[in-house]
C-alpha cells in the first residue's frame, strides 16, 4: 500500500515539475505554489480562461498600486 502511495506521489511531483517547466517556457510568472493553486482550481471545475483573466487583472491592479505608491503627491 505504501508503495502505491509513493508511486502516486512521485507521479504528482513529476507532473507538477513538467507543468512548472511549461509555465516558465511560456513566461507566465507563476511560481510552484501559484501554479499548484491554479491546477487545483481547474481540477475543481474553475474555467481556466476565467482564471487567467482574474490573474491578469490582479497583476494589473498590483502594478497600479505599486506605481501610485511610488508617485509623489
Amino acid at each position: 500500500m505504501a508503495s502505491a502511495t509513493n508511486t502516486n506521489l512521485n507521479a504528482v511531483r513529476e507532473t507538477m515539475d513538467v507543468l512548472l517547466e511549461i509555465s516558465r517556457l511560456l513566461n507566465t510568472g507563476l511560481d510552484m505554489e501559484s501554479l499548484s493553486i491554479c491546477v487545483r482550481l481547474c481540477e475543481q471545475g474553475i474555467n481556466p480562461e476565467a482564471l487567467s483573466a482574474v490573474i491578469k487583472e490582479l497583476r494589473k491592479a498590483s502594478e497600479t498600486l505599486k506605481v501610485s505608491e511610488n508617485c509623489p503627491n
Side-chain angles (χ1 to χ4, degrees), residues 29-50:
L30 296 173
D31 60 12
M32 180 62 91
E33 182 181 8
S34 300
L35 182 61
S36 178
I37 291 168
C38 290
V39 168
R40 283 184 291 201
L41 287 170
C42 290
E43 287 173 343
Q44 294 295 318
I46 299 296
N47 181 323
E49 290 179 21

